[in-house]
Each structure stands twice: as C-alpha cells, then as structure tokens.
Amino acid sequence: MRVSKLGEFGLIARIAKMVGEPGDDVVVGIGDDVAVLRTGGGDKYHLATCDIQVEGIHFIRDKISPYQLGRKAVAINLSDIASMGGVPKQLLVSLVLPEDTSVSYVDAMYEGIKAETDCCGVNIVGGNIARSPSGLIVDIFLLGEVEPEHLLLRSGAKVGDRVLVTGYVGDSAAGLAYLLAPETRCKKARAQRVLEAHLTPTPRLKEGRTIAKSGMATAMIDISDGTLGDLGHICERSGVGARVWVERLPISEVAREIAEAMEKDPLKWALGGGEDYELLFTVPSEKAEKLAALVHEETGTPVSVIGEIVPAKEGIQVVRESGESFSLEHEGWDHFR
C-alpha cells in the first residue's frame, strides 16, 4: 500500500500506533497541534512543534519573495503555539538548499525569519543546513511554554458548545487564486489583503493567550487544513459532531470579489481552502458572545460564532441557520490526497 492511498492523517495514526504510548514526562504527544512536555519540575509545560515549507508543495519560488518565505515559515509554527494558548520562546531552522541558491536569497530569507521572530521575542538558537538535489525546503522547530491551567487542546469540546473563529476564513485561498491568475478583475491594491493573508499570515498569538487565559474556551486549533478539516480534528479528538451555520462564516469582501471575478464559490475557500492560520475554538453557549467581545476588545481582531457542537452521531454538517441542509462538497488539505 502506498501513502497516497492511506492519506496524511491515516499515516499519522499508523505512525502513532507504531511508536506507542509516550513516557510520563509527555502530557500530550502525537495527535494535537503541539507536543506538551513536563521537564525540570517547573511550573509551566514546555511546547514543541515543527512545520515545513517545501518548494512546489507549499510555495512556488517565483511567486513568493525570500523575505516573505522566511516570515511565513516562522508564522505557521507560531500559529501552532497560539492554538495551545502558549508563548513561543526558541526556534531552530533547517535549510535544504539547491547548490545554485544565491547567498543573497538566503540572506533575504533570514531577514524575514528574523523579522517574524523579533515581533514576538523568539530567539533563533540553531538549526542545520544540507544540499538539496532539487527544490528548496525550510523546516522550523519551535519551542514555547504555557501554564498548565491555560493549556487548550483539541479534545475538550462539549455538546452544546458554540464554535468560534477569529478573523476571516478563505482569504488565503483567495490570495493563492489571485497569485496564480493576476489578470483577475480586481485591483492589486485591493487584492493586497488576501495576498498578504497567503504570503505572510499573521499568527494569532495575542488572541490565543486571551482565549486561553479567559478560562472560557474548551478546545482550540489553528486553521491550516481548512475550517471544516480542522473542525473535524476537534470533533475527532473530543468525540463530538458539529454544525456550521453557513451564513455566519466571516468571508471578506475582497475574497468575495475575487471569487465572483473568477466564477468561484467563496464558501469553498472559506470551508476548505486552508492556510488561514486563524484560531477555531469552542466555548459554552452562554459564554460565547462574552469571549468574542473580550478578544475583540483586547486585540482588535473580530471573532465570529459560526456553529455549534452536537452529538458525534450527527457528524459534521453545513447548514443554514434555519436548519436547512446546505449541499457543498468540501475537503480539508491532505498532503497525499
């Protein structure tokens, strides 16, 4: 059997089974955004995550500057720490470079890496460099920390909770679509918003801390695989289902404008586009609006209530608020499918 048949998440489950149960110093191992570790007897948990950017899969080299690539490679890892309510601390960078890569390209990429780490006080402490026979690869390993009482996992969602999301969903997919078809009828200055969402996403670190420290949220994840794909991860780990109210999805005017110009459905971008790096989280219904208002007040980022958690037997549904079923094919990102 090939990995293309098993799929990314099937492969992860297979690997998790092979490596077995972790030791006592591991609070959370394979199966969440970040590994959570007990070390040194301190009063905080250590967080560890890694994510990679592969040329031809995650980026097209002539569509992204080296500075932007450096920033994005760091930002997507910061987003994982944000999704746990944590604080990022140290970072290591592994580069796999074609031998004809210019030194100025590497310099510019590190300027982007440094700009993104300086924004949140992260120290670059090491890494590795190797030669690539073909494309360029940037692999980031990031360490952070979180207080045990503020740790948020994928596994805490309860039936009756509301589903909330920060910012807008679908902007990154709209940005990618525009990047690949710049002749699209939309002024570049106006499209800049979605281009930035795709090329230099903003990790929601302040929002993640506010949500975690509020004590109101029950589960959280960042949106890398698409709104429905990542909601599915919460549902799987929490043993629940979910209902998404399609009218409440926060889709920006620019994304809608680009979708209309391309004769695309912006809902497909919002539900399955991926790489938005917004935070998707669950909150008891009576606290949902209060927490949404708190996050907006403290960070300036809008928060939308987009659905509710239901029993597992109901699965994941996309519906209108009236209860009418909404028919739409959707899939989250899977590297092997």
Side-chain angles (χ1 to χ4, degrees):
M1 178 170 60
R2 299 184 186 276
V3 294
S4 57
K5 183 175 182 180
L6 190 57
E8 177 186 355
F9 302 107
L11 183 59
I12 292 171
R14 184 183 179 92
I15 292 169
K17 186 176 180 180
M18 287 180 66
V19 302
E21 292 296 322
D24 293 340
D25 56 346
V26 178
V27 180
V28 178
I30 297 172
D32 216 303
D33 282 312
V34 175
V36 183
L37 312 171
R38 255 188 228 97
T39 59
D43 59 352
K44 295 180 181 178
Y45 289 149
H46 289 265
L47 304 174
T49 189
C50 58
D51 215 326
I52 194 167
Q53 292 285 287
V54 179
E55 185 175 357
I57 301 296
H58 298 96
F59 67 93
I60 301 168
R61 203 185 310 190
D62 65 0
K63 298 294 185 181
I64 186 170
S65 72
Y67 176 84
Q68 290 170 328
L69 178 58
R71 282 192 57 189
K72 185 172 184 178
V74 175
I76 63 178
N77 282 273
L78 293 172
S79 183
D80 279 341
I81 298 294
S83 74
M84 311 293 278
V87 178
K89 289 294 184 181
Q90 296 90 21
L91 178 144
L92 296 92
V93 185
S94 285
L95 297 180
V96 188
L97 303 170
E99 60 185 9
D100 62 352
T101 305
S102 68
V103 173
S104 62
Y105 188 96
V106 178
D107 286 348
M109 188 162 49
Y110 259 88
E111 287 173 6
I113 289 171
K114 191 73 166 56
E116 198 70 28
T117 55
D118 283 351
C119 286
C120 53
V122 170
N123 294 306
I124 302 168
V125 296
N128 188 43
I129 294 176
R131 179 169 63 88
S132 168
S134 54
L136 187 151
I137 297 172
V138 187
D139 192 15
I140 302 289
F141 179 71
L142 180 62
L143 298 169
E145 63 184 24
V146 68
E147 306 85 351
E149 65 271 21
H150 295 152
L151 175 67
L152 276 170
L153 305 176
R154 301 177 179 184
S155 53
K158 303 287 191 301
V159 173
D161 285 355
R162 293 294 184 258
V163 179
L164 289 76
V165 68
T166 60
Y168 296 90
V169 288
D171 271 4
S172 179
L176 176 60
Y178 187 86
L179 198 66
L180 297 176
E183 72 280 1
T184 300
R185 192 178 68 254
C186 179
K187 292 182 180 178
K188 188 168 182 179
R190 182 159 169 76
Q192 195 61 35
R193 168 198 173 85
V194 295
L195 286 170
E196 289 177 359
H198 180 69
L199 296 171
T200 53
T202 301
R204 300 299 193 182
L205 287 165
K206 290 181 180 179
E207 294 82 353
R209 285 296 283 171
T210 299
I211 293 163
K213 291 173 74 173
S214 74
M216 297 184 215
T218 54
M220 187 155 67
I221 193 171
D222 72 323
I223 299 177
S224 56
D225 298 328
T227 302
L228 286 184
D230 287 305
L231 179 57
H233 297 325
I234 285 182
C235 290
E236 180 183 6
R237 298 291 290 181
S238 298
V240 296
R243 189 177 293 126
V244 175
W245 301 315
V246 71
E247 299 100 329
R248 294 213 191 181
L249 287 167
I251 303 173
S252 70
E253 290 298 323
V254 180
R256 292 182 188 276
E257 182 179 330
I258 292 172
E260 182 178 0
M262 291 185 166
E263 298 183 344
K264 301 288 186 181
D265 186 347
L267 287 171
K268 295 192 77 168
W269 290 345
L271 291 168
E275 288 205 324
D276 284 312
Y277 299 105
E278 296 293 351
L279 296 176
L280 182 74
F281 55 106
T282 58
V283 185
S285 59
E286 69 276 10
K287 300 177 181 178
E289 295 293 348
K290 180 179 179 181
L291 183 52
L294 176 66
V295 174
H296 185 254
E297 179 183 342
E298 294 202 359
T299 69
T301 300
V303 176
S304 304
V305 179
I306 64 168
E308 61 184 343
I309 298 298
V310 299
K313 64 182 181 182
E314 297 185 30
I316 299 177
Q317 312 164 33
V318 180
V319 301
R320 300 190 186 278
E321 284 190 84
S322 64
E324 177 190 352
S325 179
F326 187 88
S327 178
L328 179 73
E329 290 185 8
H330 52 266
E331 289 185 8
W333 175 256
D334 185 318
H335 274 282
F336 300 110
R337 288 182 176 165

